[in-house]
Amino acid sequence: MVFEPTHAPLLSIVVPVYGVEAYLYQCLESIRADIPAGEAGAVELIAVDDASPDGCPAMLRSYAVGRVGVRVVHLTDNVGLGLARNAGLDVATGRYVWFVDSDDWLPPGTIAAVLDRLRQHEPDVLMLDHLRVHEDGRREVDASSHLLRGVTGAVGLAEQPQLLRVQHTAWNKVVRRAYLDELELRFYAGWYEDIPFSHPLLIGAERISVLDRVCYLYRQGRLGAITSTRSGRHFDAFDQYERLMEWVGRRHPDERLRAELFQLMVNHYLVVAGNDDRLHPHLRRAFFRRVAQHYRRYLPAGGYPMPDGVAGLKHRLVGRNDYLAYAALRRAHRVAGRVLGARAGTSSDAPAESAPADDPAPSKRPRALAGRG
């Protein structure tokens, strides 16, 4: 059943679906059951079946029956997260659009708070806080959440530049549809699809509002998630950053902005390079070489804010394209982690890198999508 609204809703929530049979109902119910009484016409839920090979298509067909405001789009071919989001966007009728991943969910009271803030501030972009939820139930504040604190009213990035460092994913932003069209933004195929989408939203916005409450629960550690999948597809990040830099150069050629984005880009690359869960050891050298190429290609003429300490040392090694020194530093970091872990009585295996506040995770698509978006 496909619901065709007689009046345009205020908010369209687009949920791309692939390989999440165990989590799908929780996601959909966290949205629909949270719509306040009397607000049914203000929200539409658009679920996009990305040719999911499990029971998700049948679940969606069943879920839509008798539920007003639920729309289902079935794709005949698997296109990947970014293009599935585009398919949902194509049929969305709301003034605002929110992309929610189908293995995540919303805490109670979220929809009412989002609708209220949209009406109050009428922003171009509404930014939301979230928690990371681990498989054992542990909930963790994101390293970038503190950057959302103390922002009142509707502001521009020039007034609150730290907002550019908030985890740049699509799901922590509600976007005015007309503004999205003005920017000519769509999702691209491939992993790390949020990179050329999320930053431009903030860069071009005249009115950014922040809802300083947890509105999203981000599932961690799901079996098959690409954040824990070793694959050459992590090289997709380079194409996505090239698209971002091209867009910024064309629409907002500002050297200070370029310097800020450059640092964020290198930080992100270094997290991916050092993460054993993402890169197989035999790919690490080639990935580092690509990072060094982008460093030389996009290095701002006036320099950029170099991080302090070990992070800054890694930046300098990238600038020199010195993989051997980087590898030695990485090994030393791991040995130090083992020693500290042993002293604390914890696991002897330390992660190669920890993600800084400005590191976005790639989308959590399952391994079955290798070779596709």
Side-chain angles (χ1 to χ4, degrees):
M1 175 180 178
V2 177
F3 169 71
E4 296 292 347
T6 55
H7 300 285
L10 177 61
L11 177 63
S12 296
I13 301 179
V14 175
V15 181
V17 177
Y18 183 93
V20 290
E21 185 175 347
Y23 310 107
L24 180 57
Y25 184 79
Q26 180 186 26
C27 175
L28 299 178
E29 275 296 283
S30 75
I31 297 170
R32 185 180 175 277
D34 198 48
I35 299 174
E39 293 277 31
V43 181
E44 68 174 353
L45 170 57
I46 302 171
V48 181
D49 164 29
D50 189 17
S52 187
D54 57 3
C56 287
M59 290 177 66
L60 290 175
R61 284 190 289 268
S62 175
Y63 192 84
V65 174
R67 287 184 168 93
V68 175
V70 177
R71 311 174 67 189
V72 178
V73 176
H74 293 282
L75 302 182
T76 56
D77 297 306
N78 172 242
V79 297
L81 179 59
L83 301 188
R85 284 173 173 168
N86 289 344
L89 183 62
D90 286 341
V91 301
T93 62
R95 184 181 175 198
Y96 286 86
V97 62
W98 184 9
F99 299 99
V100 172
D101 286 355
S102 52
D103 56 347
D104 301 327
W105 70 104
L106 311 183
T110 292
I111 298 295
V114 167
L115 293 176
D116 179 69
R117 184 55 59 88
L118 292 177
R119 289 169 175 144
Q120 179 185 4
H121 287 169
E122 298 186 336
D124 297 320
V125 181
L126 173 61
M127 301 185 69
L128 311 170
D129 199 3
H130 72 281
L131 291 176
R132 296 170 178 256
V133 184
H134 296 265
E135 288 294 287
D136 60 3
R138 178 171 55 90
R139 299 190 173 193
E140 177 187 8
V141 175
D142 187 79
S144 68
S145 290
H146 70 282
L147 300 173
L148 297 170
R149 308 289 179 256
V151 179
T152 59
V155 301
L157 197 59
E159 301 165 73
Q160 299 287 342
Q162 80 283 358
L163 294 178
L164 194 64
R165 290 184 171 270
V166 175
Q167 180 161 323
H168 54 277
T169 59
W171 46 254
N172 64 358
K173 299 173 184 68
V174 181
V175 188
R176 184 167 60 85
R177 173 59 186 272
Y179 168 64
L180 189 59
D181 293 339
E182 290 167 12
L183 294 184
E184 300 178 320
L185 284 181
R186 303 278 285 182
F187 291 98
Y188 291 94
W191 288 6
Y192 298 93
E193 70 291 323
D194 287 342
I195 289 170
F197 182 86
S198 186
H199 276 322
L201 290 178
L202 300 179
I203 292 169
E206 295 181 1
R207 297 177 59 82
I208 302 171
S209 179
V210 171
L211 187 50
D212 187 9
R213 60 166 285 164
V214 174
C215 294
Y216 196 92
L217 299 174
Y218 177 39
R219 191 183 304 275
Q220 304 288 288
R222 177 172 66 81
L223 182 65
I226 75 166
T227 48
S228 56
T229 300
R230 283 182 173 182
S231 171
R233 293 299 306 280
H234 292 288
F235 282 74
D236 287 358
F238 296 107
D239 292 335
Q240 305 290 18
Y241 271 110
E242 287 174 3
R243 291 169 178 135
L244 170 63
M245 293 302 191
E246 188 279 330
W247 186 92
V248 171
R250 177 166 45 87
R251 300 287 294 261
H252 295 273
D254 179 270
E255 277 300 304
R256 289 175 298 179
L257 175 61
R258 181 184 176 91
E260 180 76 6
L261 289 174
F262 180 84
Q263 189 203 63
L264 294 174
M265 178 185 73
V266 177
N267 286 349
H268 187 189
Y269 284 155
L270 285 169
V271 169
V272 177
N275 193 314
D276 285 330
D277 289 335
R278 301 193 199 180
L279 279 184
H280 191 280
H282 80 270
L283 294 176
R284 187 165 288 114
R285 182 189 294 266
F287 190 92
F288 184 91
R289 299 300 189 208
R290 289 288 302 276
V291 177
Q293 290 172 8
H294 267 197
Y295 191 101
R296 293 191 297 271
R297 176 176 177 180
Y298 294 113
L299 180 64
Y304 72 103
M306 179 75 72
D308 296 327
V310 174
L313 175 57
K314 292 177 183 177
H315 277 242
R316 288 190 286 274
L317 294 177
V318 169
R320 298 203 301 262
N321 195 16
D322 192 343
Y323 177 75
L324 292 179
Y326 165 78
L329 179 63
R330 182 173 178 275
R331 285 194 297 271
H333 175 84
R334 292 174 64 84
V335 170
R338 292 191 188 100
V339 172
L340 292 174
R343 288 176 179 174
T346 59
S347 169
S348 61
D349 289 327
E353 306 283 351
S354 58
D358 47 32
D359 171 54
S363 58
K364 299 180 273 104
R365 296 308 291 264
R367 291 187 176 94
L369 278 181
R372 298 177 181 171

